[in-house]
Amino acid sequence: MVQPESYRVTTDTEEVDFDAACDLIHTYSYWAARPIELTRRGFESPSSIVFGALDSSGATVGCARVVTDYSTFGWVCDVIVHPDHRGRGIGKMLMKAVVEHPVLAPMRLILVTRDAHGLYEQFGFERKEMMRRPAPESPPTGCV
Ligand SMILES: CC(C)(COP(=O)(O)OP(=O)(O)OC[C@H]1O[C@@H](n2cnc3c(N)ncnc32)[C@H](O)[C@@H]1OP(=O)(O)O)[C@@H](O)C(=O)NCCC(=O)NCCS
C-alpha cells in the first residue's frame, strides 16, 4: 500500500509531465470532449499555473490547473487523479497547493464541478449561481 507521504505536489514545469497529465484528462475525465492538442495548449499557456502530483518515482499521477490574470481571479480546472491513486489524499494535496499558492492565495477562485463539491468545500469554495456560455462545439456539462 502506497502511503500519502510518498506523494508531493509541484508547479515546477521541469517536473510535471504535461503529456501524462493530458493523457489522464483525456482517458479518465468526463469533461475533455475536445482534441488533446487543445488541452496541451491550455497547459502550456502563460495564463496557466499547472500543479502536478508526483509519486515517489517522479511520475505524474494527478494534476490541477488554474487559469489566472495574475491580478484578481483564478479559474480552477482539470483537477484529476489517476484511478489507481485515488482515495489517498492526492486531490486534497492538489487543492491545498492551489489555495496556498502565493499568487492565488489572495484571489477569488472559481470553478465548475459536476459532483466533487465536497472536495472543494473543504478548501473554502461555496456553492453559488453563475452564468456560463459553453463552447459551441462542447457538450453542456463539464469542468471547464
Ligand atoms: C475528484 C478527485 C480529483 C479526488 O481525488 P482523490 O485523490 O481521490 O481525493 P482525496 O483522497 O484527496 O479525497 C477527496 C476528498 O473529497 C471528498 N469528495 C467529495 N466529492 C468527491 C468526489 N466526487 N470524488 C472524490 N472525492 C470527493 C472525499 O470524500 C474526500 O474527503 P474526505 O477525505 O474528507 O472524506 C478524483 O476522484 C478524480 O480524479 N475524479 C475524476 C475527475 C473529477 O471528477 N475531477 C473533479 C472535477 S472538477
Side-chain angles (χ1 to χ4, degrees), residues 114-143:
R114 190 172 67 184
D115 59 9
H117 305 84
L119 168 61
Y120 302 114
E121 281 170 341
Q122 296 186 36
F123 296 91
F125 288 78
E126 302 167 348
R127 300 187 196 210
K128 297 280 187 189
E129 285 185 21
M130 65 183 295
M131 294 185 73
R132 178 165 60 120
R133 175 189 176 270
E137 302 301 326
S138 294
T141 60
C143 197

Side-chain angles (χ1 to χ4, degrees), residues 7-92:
Y7 297 101
R8 64 191 173 91
V9 172
T10 181
T11 55
D12 184 342
T13 53
E14 298 289 313
E15 288 195 291
V16 183
D17 183 340
F18 280 16
D19 285 333
C22 294
D23 280 346
L24 264 180
I25 290 162
H26 280 265
T27 306
Y28 299 109
S29 86
Y30 59 81
W31 61 83
R34 62 197 174 208
I36 194 167
E37 293 75 21
L38 291 185
T39 299
R40 175 80 196 208
R41 194 188 304 169
F43 271 65
E44 291 170 350
S45 165
S47 301
S48 289
I49 302 175
V50 175
F51 297 77
L54 312 184
D55 71 8
S56 55
S57 74
T60 298
V61 298
C63 66
R65 183 164 70 95
V66 182
V67 182
T68 181
D69 65 354
Y70 289 89
S71 177
T72 60
F73 83 98
W75 180 284
V76 181
C77 57
D78 290 336
V79 180
I80 194 156
V81 173
H82 189 287
D84 291 349
H85 297 266
R86 288 181 191 169
R88 298 173 181 171
I90 300 174
K92 290 193 286 190

